[in-house]
Amino acid sequence: MHRYLLSIWLLALLISGVAPAVAQKRDPMSDAEVDQMREAADYPNKRLELMVRFAKERIAMIGILRSDPPSETRPKQIHDYLEDFITLLDETDDNIDVYAQHRTDMRKGLKLVIEADSEWQLNLRQLKEQSPADELPQYAFVLANAIDTVADSAKSSRESLEEQNKLAAEKKLNKDYSERKD
């Protein structure tokens, strides 16, 4: 429901002409990552594995930045990586929703997402607790959003895995996304 309302809101922005600012938002994925995602479109487990890897790379970059000496640009860079991380998690959840609608087996990928969510919760909590007092306000809001996004992702991924296990027991899962009945 939340994503539906967000979609309507974005459509209204596009129609009203306010969208240029939204449209110029940078893509959190490189061209190479986008290509990998395209190649994995029919393979939900591979696609989820890629999304987890990309999100882990953003969290790792934050860790690298935190180990560097403080700089004027570091808070902005951390902010941007957190935004990219949130976007990647939202995209992961969207992929899970699409594959679930088509009853495509993605249990292996969901387990990776759930494991990563636990790791990310720890990483983000440490970032919040260990950030310098002069830097934290510059990315506190996006960090709070990231923490909430990970909590939501963990909950929905566990629910999706439970549903997938139930459908597998009933032999109602498609092994491949290409087997879907559109």
Side-chain angles (χ1 to χ4, degrees):
M1 179 70 175
H2 174 57
R3 293 191 197 291
Y4 176 73
L5 292 174
L6 180 62
S7 297
I8 297 221
W9 180 76
L10 287 173
L11 181 61
L13 282 175
L14 286 170
I15 292 170
S16 70
V18 179
V22 174
Q24 292 179 9
K25 186 174 181 181
R26 63 191 183 86
D27 191 340
M29 288 192 283
S30 68
D31 290 341
E33 290 170 335
V34 170
D35 289 342
Q36 291 176 57
M37 290 296 290
R38 280 191 195 112
E39 290 172 12
D42 284 341
Y43 308 100
N45 290 312
K46 178 65 177 171
R47 196 166 178 127
L48 293 177
E49 177 185 325
L50 288 169
M51 295 300 291
V52 166
R53 188 177 87 213
F54 300 156
K56 281 185 177 185
E57 288 170 358
R58 291 354 180 244
I59 293 293
M61 290 304 300
I62 292 170
I64 291 169
L65 286 169
R66 288 179 59 215
S67 67
D68 288 345
S71 70
E72 287 184 27
T73 60
R74 183 168 76 175
K76 171 76 169 113
Q77 291 172 311
I78 290 173
H79 178 278
D80 290 349
Y81 280 121
L82 286 168
E83 280 189 338
D84 291 351
F85 173 77
I86 291 168
T87 303
L88 290 167
L89 252 56
D90 287 342
E91 180 69 23
T92 301
D93 288 344
D94 290 346
N95 276 263
I96 290 170
D97 291 344
V98 168
Y99 292 126
Q101 287 174 352
H102 296 287
R103 295 184 173 195
T104 306
D105 189 355
M106 59 180 157
R107 291 174 290 170
K108 181 179 175 186
L110 283 168
K111 289 175 185 174
L112 292 174
V113 172
I114 292 166
E115 289 171 12
D117 283 332
S118 296
E119 180 182 323
W120 294 328
Q121 286 173 328
L122 175 64
N123 294 140
L124 294 172
R125 187 172 47 249
Q126 288 174 340
L127 177 61
K128 183 178 180 179
E129 293 169 356
Q130 298 171 3
S131 289
D134 61 326
E135 286 186 6
L136 183 59
Q138 297 177 57
Y139 52 81
F141 181 75
V142 73
L143 176 58
N145 285 343
I147 291 168
D148 290 345
T149 300
V150 171
D152 291 345
S153 173
K155 182 179 183 272
S156 65
S157 295
R158 282 191 295 273
E159 290 170 356
S160 294
L161 182 58
E162 286 177 24
E163 180 65 21
Q164 288 267 302
N165 286 332
K166 179 183 165 194
L167 290 170
E170 297 169 359
K171 307 254 189 253
K172 293 182 179 178
L173 275 182
N174 296 316
K175 287 199 178 261
D176 295 312
Y177 184 65
S178 59
E179 295 174 7
R180 69 190 184 278
K181 297 173 180 84
D182 289 335

PDB file of all heavy atoms in Angstrom, residues 137-165:
ATOM      1  N   PRO A 137      24.910  14.772  12.803  1.00  0.00           N
ATOM      2  CA  PRO A 137      23.723  15.538  12.375  1.00  0.00           C
ATOM      3  C   PRO A 137      23.604  15.691  10.855  1.00  0.00           C
ATOM      4  O   PRO A 137      22.506  15.862  10.339  1.00  0.00           O
ATOM      5  CB  PRO A 137      23.911  16.902  13.048  1.00  0.00           C
ATOM      6  CG  PRO A 137      24.783  16.625  14.223  1.00  0.00           C
ATOM      7  CD  PRO A 137      25.701  15.514  13.786  1.00  0.00           C
ATOM      8  N   GLN A 138      24.732  15.579  10.152  1.00  0.00           N
ATOM      9  CA  GLN A 138      24.712  15.772   8.704  1.00  0.00           C
ATOM     10  C   GLN A 138      24.131  14.579   7.954  1.00  0.00           C
ATOM     11  O   GLN A 138      23.778  14.694   6.778  1.00  0.00           O
ATOM     12  CB  GLN A 138      26.123  16.092   8.208  1.00  0.00           C
ATOM     13  CG  GLN A 138      26.638  17.393   8.798  1.00  0.00           C
ATOM     14  CD  GLN A 138      28.050  17.682   8.375  1.00  0.00           C
ATOM     15  OE1 GLN A 138      28.322  17.756   7.173  1.00  0.00           O
ATOM     16  NE2 GLN A 138      28.945  17.835   9.336  1.00  0.00           N
ATOM     17  N   TYR A 139      24.034  13.426   8.638  1.00  0.00           N
ATOM     18  CA  TYR A 139      23.424  12.257   7.990  1.00  0.00           C
ATOM     19  C   TYR A 139      22.511  11.484   8.939  1.00  0.00           C
ATOM     20  O   TYR A 139      22.095  10.369   8.631  1.00  0.00           O
ATOM     21  CB  TYR A 139      24.479  11.341   7.359  1.00  0.00           C
ATOM     22  CG  TYR A 139      25.614  10.917   8.274  1.00  0.00           C
ATOM     23  CD1 TYR A 139      25.450   9.878   9.182  1.00  0.00           C
ATOM     24  CD2 TYR A 139      26.851  11.541   8.205  1.00  0.00           C
ATOM     25  CE1 TYR A 139      26.495   9.480  10.002  1.00  0.00           C
ATOM     26  CE2 TYR A 139      27.903  11.158   9.017  1.00  0.00           C
ATOM     27  CZ  TYR A 139      27.712  10.118   9.916  1.00  0.00           C
ATOM     28  OH  TYR A 139      28.743   9.721  10.733  1.00  0.00           O
ATOM     29  N   ALA A 140      22.167  12.086  10.067  1.00  0.00           N
ATOM     30  CA  ALA A 140      21.332  11.402  11.065  1.00  0.00           C
ATOM     31  C   ALA A 140      19.970  11.008  10.504  1.00  0.00           C
ATOM     32  O   ALA A 140      19.477   9.907  10.769  1.00  0.00           O
ATOM     33  CB  ALA A 140      21.166  12.271  12.313  1.00  0.00           C
ATOM     34  N   PHE A 141      19.355  11.895   9.723  1.00  0.00           N
ATOM     35  CA  PHE A 141      18.019  11.606   9.191  1.00  0.00           C
ATOM     36  C   PHE A 141      18.054  10.419   8.233  1.00  0.00           C
ATOM     37  O   PHE A 141      17.252   9.496   8.342  1.00  0.00           O
ATOM     38  CB  PHE A 141      17.443  12.842   8.484  1.00  0.00           C
ATOM     39  CG  PHE A 141      16.070  12.620   7.939  1.00  0.00           C
ATOM     40  CD1 PHE A 141      14.976  12.591   8.782  1.00  0.00           C
ATOM     41  CD2 PHE A 141      15.871  12.420   6.579  1.00  0.00           C
ATOM     42  CE1 PHE A 141      13.692  12.380   8.283  1.00  0.00           C
ATOM     43  CE2 PHE A 141      14.601  12.204   6.068  1.00  0.00           C
ATOM     44  CZ  PHE A 141      13.504  12.183   6.925  1.00  0.00           C
ATOM     45  N   VAL A 142      18.986  10.439   7.293  1.00  0.00           N
ATOM     46  CA  VAL A 142      19.072   9.341   6.326  1.00  0.00           C
ATOM     47  C   VAL A 142      19.516   8.050   7.024  1.00  0.00           C
ATOM     48  O   VAL A 142      19.088   6.953   6.648  1.00  0.00           O
ATOM     49  CB  VAL A 142      19.961   9.719   5.119  1.00  0.00           C
ATOM     50  CG1 VAL A 142      21.412   9.753   5.475  1.00  0.00           C
ATOM     51  CG2 VAL A 142      19.728   8.783   3.950  1.00  0.00           C
ATOM     52  N   LEU A 143      20.325   8.168   8.072  1.00  0.00           N
ATOM     53  CA  LEU A 143      20.713   6.984   8.850  1.00  0.00           C
ATOM     54  C   LEU A 143      19.499   6.384   9.551  1.00  0.00           C
ATOM     55  O   LEU A 143      19.314   5.161   9.540  1.00  0.00           O
ATOM     56  CB  LEU A 143      21.805   7.351   9.867  1.00  0.00           C
ATOM     57  CG  LEU A 143      22.249   6.249  10.829  1.00  0.00           C
ATOM     58  CD1 LEU A 143      22.765   5.020  10.079  1.00  0.00           C
ATOM     59  CD2 LEU A 143      23.329   6.793  11.778  1.00  0.00           C
ATOM     60  N   ALA A 144      18.659   7.230  10.133  1.00  0.00           N
ATOM     61  CA  ALA A 144      17.426   6.739  10.765  1.00  0.00           C
ATOM     62  C   ALA A 144      16.541   6.050   9.737  1.00  0.00           C
ATOM     63  O   ALA A 144      15.946   4.995  10.008  1.00  0.00           O
ATOM     64  CB  ALA A 144      16.686   7.889  11.445  1.00  0.00           C
ATOM     65  N   ASN A 145      16.459   6.621   8.529  1.00  0.00           N
ATOM     66  CA  ASN A 145      15.684   5.983   7.454  1.00  0.00           C
ATOM     67  C   ASN A 145      16.282   4.635   7.071  1.00  0.00           C
ATOM     68  O   ASN A 145      15.550   3.673   6.815  1.00  0.00           O
ATOM     69  CB  ASN A 145      15.625   6.888   6.226  1.00  0.00           C
ATOM     70  CG  ASN A 145      14.686   8.054   6.404  1.00  0.00           C
ATOM     71  OD1 ASN A 145      13.835   8.065   7.283  1.00  0.00           O
ATOM     72  ND2 ASN A 145      14.850   9.062   5.564  1.00  0.00           N
ATOM     73  N   ALA A 146      17.599   4.563   7.017  1.00  0.00           N
ATOM     74  CA  ALA A 146      18.260   3.304   6.674  1.00  0.00           C
ATOM     75  C   ALA A 146      17.972   2.245   7.732  1.00  0.00           C
ATOM     76  O   ALA A 146      17.691   1.088   7.403  1.00  0.00           O
ATOM     77  CB  ALA A 146      19.769   3.518   6.529  1.00  0.00           C
ATOM     78  N   ILE A 147      18.031   2.626   9.001  1.00  0.00           N
ATOM     79  CA  ILE A 147      17.743   1.688  10.089  1.00  0.00           C
ATOM     80  C   ILE A 147      16.306   1.173   9.972  1.00  0.00           C
ATOM     81  O   ILE A 147      16.055  -0.033  10.091  1.00  0.00           O
ATOM     82  CB  ILE A 147      18.011   2.359  11.457  1.00  0.00           C
ATOM     83  CG1 ILE A 147      19.524   2.574  11.633  1.00  0.00           C
ATOM     84  CG2 ILE A 147      17.427   1.542  12.599  1.00  0.00           C
ATOM     85  CD1 ILE A 147      19.906   3.474  12.796  1.00  0.00           C
ATOM     86  N   ASP A 148      15.364   2.078   9.706  1.00  0.00           N
ATOM     87  CA  ASP A 148      13.965   1.672   9.538  1.00  0.00           C
ATOM     88  C   ASP A 148      13.780   0.786   8.306  1.00  0.00           C
ATOM     89  O   ASP A 148      13.031  -0.196   8.336  1.00  0.00           O
ATOM     90  CB  ASP A 148      13.059   2.905   9.411  1.00  0.00           C
ATOM     91  CG  ASP A 148      12.932   3.685  10.707  1.00  0.00           C
ATOM     92  OD1 ASP A 148      13.291   3.147  11.786  1.00  0.00           O
ATOM     93  OD2 ASP A 148      12.476   4.852  10.640  1.00  0.00           O
ATOM     94  N   THR A 149      14.454   1.137   7.228  1.00  0.00           N
ATOM     95  CA  THR A 149      14.343   0.359   5.990  1.00  0.00           C
ATOM     96  C   THR A 149      14.850  -1.061   6.192  1.00  0.00           C
ATOM     97  O   THR A 149      14.236  -2.027   5.723  1.00  0.00           O
ATOM     98  CB  THR A 149      15.112   1.059   4.843  1.00  0.00           C
ATOM     99  OG1 THR A 149      14.559   2.362   4.645  1.00  0.00           O
ATOM    100  CG2 THR A 149      15.025   0.267   3.556  1.00  0.00           C
ATOM    101  N   VAL A 150      15.962  -1.209   6.898  1.00  0.00           N
ATOM    102  CA  VAL A 150      16.509  -2.544   7.162  1.00  0.00           C
ATOM    103  C   VAL A 150      15.546  -3.341   8.042  1.00  0.00           C
ATOM    104  O   VAL A 150      15.307  -4.529   7.790  1.00  0.00           O
ATOM    105  CB  VAL A 150      17.914  -2.466   7.797  1.00  0.00           C
ATOM    106  CG1 VAL A 150      18.378  -3.841   8.261  1.00  0.00           C
ATOM    107  CG2 VAL A 150      18.908  -1.897   6.804  1.00  0.00           C
ATOM    108  N   ALA A 151      14.975  -2.703   9.056  1.00  0.00           N
ATOM    109  CA  ALA A 151      14.018  -3.401   9.927  1.00  0.00           C
ATOM    110  C   ALA A 151      12.809  -3.865   9.123  1.00  0.00           C
ATOM    111  O   ALA A 151      12.351  -5.007   9.276  1.00  0.00           O
ATOM    112  CB  ALA A 151      13.598  -2.491  11.082  1.00  0.00           C
ATOM    113  N   ASP A 152      12.294  -2.999   8.257  1.00  0.00           N
ATOM    114  CA  ASP A 152      11.153  -3.367   7.405  1.00  0.00           C
ATOM    115  C   ASP A 152      11.524  -4.486   6.447  1.00  0.00           C
ATOM    116  O   ASP A 152      10.748  -5.422   6.221  1.00  0.00           O
ATOM    117  CB  ASP A 152      10.652  -2.158   6.610  1.00  0.00           C
ATOM    118  CG  ASP A 152       9.996  -1.097   7.472  1.00  0.00           C
ATOM    119  OD1 ASP A 152       9.660  -1.388   8.651  1.00  0.00           O
ATOM    120  OD2 ASP A 152       9.829   0.040   6.978  1.00  0.00           O
ATOM    121  N   SER A 153      12.710  -4.391   5.863  1.00  0.00           N
ATOM    122  CA  SER A 153      13.185  -5.412   4.932  1.00  0.00           C
ATOM    123  C   SER A 153      13.313  -6.761   5.624  1.00  0.00           C
ATOM    124  O   SER A 153      12.903  -7.795   5.074  1.00  0.00           O
ATOM    125  CB  SER A 153      14.528  -4.997   4.341  1.00  0.00           C
ATOM    126  OG  SER A 153      15.073  -6.033   3.560  1.00  0.00           O
ATOM    127  N   ALA A 154      13.875  -6.756   6.824  1.00  0.00           N
ATOM    128  CA  ALA A 154      14.047  -8.011   7.567  1.00  0.00           C
ATOM    129  C   ALA A 154      12.696  -8.658   7.843  1.00  0.00           C
ATOM    130  O   ALA A 154      12.520  -9.865   7.636  1.00  0.00           O
ATOM    131  CB  ALA A 154      14.793  -7.747   8.872  1.00  0.00           C
ATOM    132  N   LYS A 155      11.751  -7.851   8.272  1.00  0.00           N
ATOM    133  CA  LYS A 155      10.411  -8.373   8.581  1.00  0.00           C
ATOM    134  C   LYS A 155       9.733  -8.927   7.326  1.00  0.00           C
ATOM    135  O   LYS A 155       9.240 -10.057   7.321  1.00  0.00           O
ATOM    136  CB  LYS A 155       9.552  -7.264   9.195  1.00  0.00           C
ATOM    137  CG  LYS A 155       8.155  -7.702   9.587  1.00  0.00           C
ATOM    138  CD  LYS A 155       7.393  -6.533  10.219  1.00  0.00           C
ATOM    139  CE  LYS A 155       6.023  -6.960  10.680  1.00  0.00           C
ATOM    140  NZ  LYS A 155       5.013  -6.853   9.657  1.00  0.00           N
ATOM    141  N   SER A 156       9.726  -8.145   6.259  1.00  0.00           N
ATOM    142  CA  SER A 156       9.039  -8.596   5.043  1.00  0.00           C
ATOM    143  C   SER A 156       9.755  -9.775   4.392  1.00  0.00           C
ATOM    144  O   SER A 156       9.100 -10.665   3.830  1.00  0.00           O
ATOM    145  CB  SER A 156       8.864  -7.445   4.052  1.00  0.00           C
ATOM    146  OG  SER A 156      10.101  -6.987   3.583  1.00  0.00           O
ATOM    147  N   SER A 157      11.080  -9.825   4.487  1.00  0.00           N
ATOM    148  CA  SER A 157      11.820 -10.957   3.914  1.00  0.00           C
ATOM    149  C   SER A 157      11.528 -12.242   4.675  1.00  0.00           C
ATOM    150  O   SER A 157      11.364 -13.306   4.065  1.00  0.00           O
ATOM    151  CB  SER A 157      13.320 -10.674   3.907  1.00  0.00           C
ATOM    152  OG  SER A 157      13.617  -9.603   3.043  1.00  0.00           O
ATOM    153  N   ARG A 158      11.447 -12.148   5.994  1.00  0.00           N
ATOM    154  CA  ARG A 158      11.097 -13.339   6.780  1.00  0.00           C
ATOM    155  C   ARG A 158       9.682 -13.815   6.444  1.00  0.00           C
ATOM    156  O   ARG A 158       9.441 -15.019   6.300  1.00  0.00           O
ATOM    157  CB  ARG A 158      11.239 -13.054   8.285  1.00  0.00           C
ATOM    158  CG  ARG A 158      12.677 -13.081   8.779  1.00  0.00           C
ATOM    159  CD  ARG A 158      12.783 -13.052  10.301  1.00  0.00           C
ATOM    160  NE  ARG A 158      12.290 -11.829  10.890  1.00  0.00           N
ATOM    161  CZ  ARG A 158      13.003 -10.725  11.064  1.00  0.00           C
ATOM    162  NH1 ARG A 158      14.258 -10.694  10.684  1.00  0.00           N
ATOM    163  NH2 ARG A 158      12.458  -9.662  11.607  1.00  0.00           N
ATOM    164  N   GLU A 159       8.762 -12.874   6.316  1.00  0.00           N
ATOM    165  CA  GLU A 159       7.385 -13.237   5.944  1.00  0.00           C
ATOM    166  C   GLU A 159       7.346 -13.874   4.558  1.00  0.00           C
ATOM    167  O   GLU A 159       6.633 -14.860   4.344  1.00  0.00           O
ATOM    168  CB  GLU A 159       6.486 -12.003   5.998  1.00  0.00           C
ATOM    169  CG  GLU A 159       6.225 -11.502   7.397  1.00  0.00           C
ATOM    170  CD  GLU A 159       5.536 -10.137   7.437  1.00  0.00           C
ATOM    171  OE1 GLU A 159       5.329  -9.522   6.357  1.00  0.00           O
ATOM    172  OE2 GLU A 159       5.221  -9.681   8.554  1.00  0.00           O
ATOM    173  N   SER A 160       8.102 -13.320   3.624  1.00  0.00           N
ATOM    174  CA  SER A 160       8.146 -13.876   2.268  1.00  0.00           C
ATOM    175  C   SER A 160       8.734 -15.278   2.270  1.00  0.00           C
ATOM    176  O   SER A 160       8.249 -16.166   1.562  1.00  0.00           O
ATOM    177  CB  SER A 160       8.959 -12.975   1.342  1.00  0.00           C
ATOM    178  OG  SER A 160       8.322 -11.741   1.158  1.00  0.00           O
ATOM    179  N   LEU A 161       9.772 -15.486   3.080  1.00  0.00           N
ATOM    180  CA  LEU A 161      10.384 -16.812   3.162  1.00  0.00           C
ATOM    181  C   LEU A 161       9.399 -17.819   3.746  1.00  0.00           C
ATOM    182  O   LEU A 161       9.300 -18.951   3.247  1.00  0.00           O
ATOM    183  CB  LEU A 161      11.669 -16.777   3.983  1.00  0.00           C
ATOM    184  CG  LEU A 161      12.422 -18.106   4.088  1.00  0.00           C
ATOM    185  CD1 LEU A 161      12.795 -18.654   2.710  1.00  0.00           C
ATOM    186  CD2 LEU A 161      13.667 -17.938   4.950  1.00  0.00           C
ATOM    187  N   GLU A 162       8.656 -17.420   4.765  1.00  0.00           N
ATOM    188  CA  GLU A 162       7.633 -18.314   5.332  1.00  0.00           C
ATOM    189  C   GLU A 162       6.603 -18.693   4.269  1.00  0.00           C
ATOM    190  O   GLU A 162       6.219 -19.864   4.147  1.00  0.00           O
ATOM    191  CB  GLU A 162       6.933 -17.645   6.518  1.00  0.00           C
ATOM    192  CG  GLU A 162       7.761 -17.577   7.772  1.00  0.00           C
ATOM    193  CD  GLU A 162       7.049 -16.824   8.902  1.00  0.00           C
ATOM    194  OE1 GLU A 162       5.802 -16.754   8.901  1.00  0.00           O
ATOM    195  OE2 GLU A 162       7.764 -16.309   9.783  1.00  0.00           O
ATOM    196  N   GLU A 163       6.161 -17.708   3.507  1.00  0.00           N
ATOM    197  CA  GLU A 163       5.184 -17.961   2.441  1.00  0.00           C
ATOM    198  C   GLU A 163       5.787 -18.860   1.358  1.00  0.00           C
ATOM    199  O   GLU A 163       5.132 -19.773   0.856  1.00  0.00           O
ATOM    200  CB  GLU A 163       4.712 -16.639   1.834  1.00  0.00           C
ATOM    201  CG  GLU A 163       3.700 -16.784   0.725  1.00  0.00           C
ATOM    202  CD  GLU A 163       2.366 -17.379   1.165  1.00  0.00           C
ATOM    203  OE1 GLU A 163       2.038 -17.330   2.368  1.00  0.00           O
ATOM    204  OE2 GLU A 163       1.646 -17.907   0.290  1.00  0.00           O
ATOM    205  N   GLN A 164       7.036 -18.619   1.007  1.00  0.00           N
ATOM    206  CA  GLN A 164       7.718 -19.442   0.012  1.00  0.00           C
ATOM    207  C   GLN A 164       7.829 -20.892   0.483  1.00  0.00           C
ATOM    208  O   GLN A 164       7.597 -21.811  -0.298  1.00  0.00           O
ATOM    209  CB  GLN A 164       9.118 -18.885  -0.261  1.00  0.00           C
ATOM    210  CG  GLN A 164       9.122 -17.603  -1.047  1.00  0.00           C
ATOM    211  CD  GLN A 164       9.256 -17.849  -2.524  1.00  0.00           C
ATOM    212  OE1 GLN A 164      10.226 -18.452  -2.969  1.00  0.00           O
ATOM    213  NE2 GLN A 164       8.296 -17.388  -3.281  1.00  0.00           N
ATOM    214  N   ASN A 165       8.173 -21.084   1.744  1.00  0.00           N
ATOM    215  CA  ASN A 165       8.275 -22.441   2.289  1.00  0.00           C
ATOM    216  C   ASN A 165       6.921 -23.142   2.265  1.00  0.00           C
ATOM    217  O   ASN A 165       6.836 -24.328   1.950  1.00  0.00           O
ATOM    218  CB  ASN A 165       8.850 -22.413   3.711  1.00  0.00           C
ATOM    219  CG  ASN A 165      10.334 -22.125   3.718  1.00  0.00           C
ATOM    220  OD1 ASN A 165      11.054 -22.430   2.771  1.00  0.00           O
ATOM    221  ND2 ASN A 165      10.803 -21.509   4.784  1.00  0.00           N
TER     222      ASN A 165
END
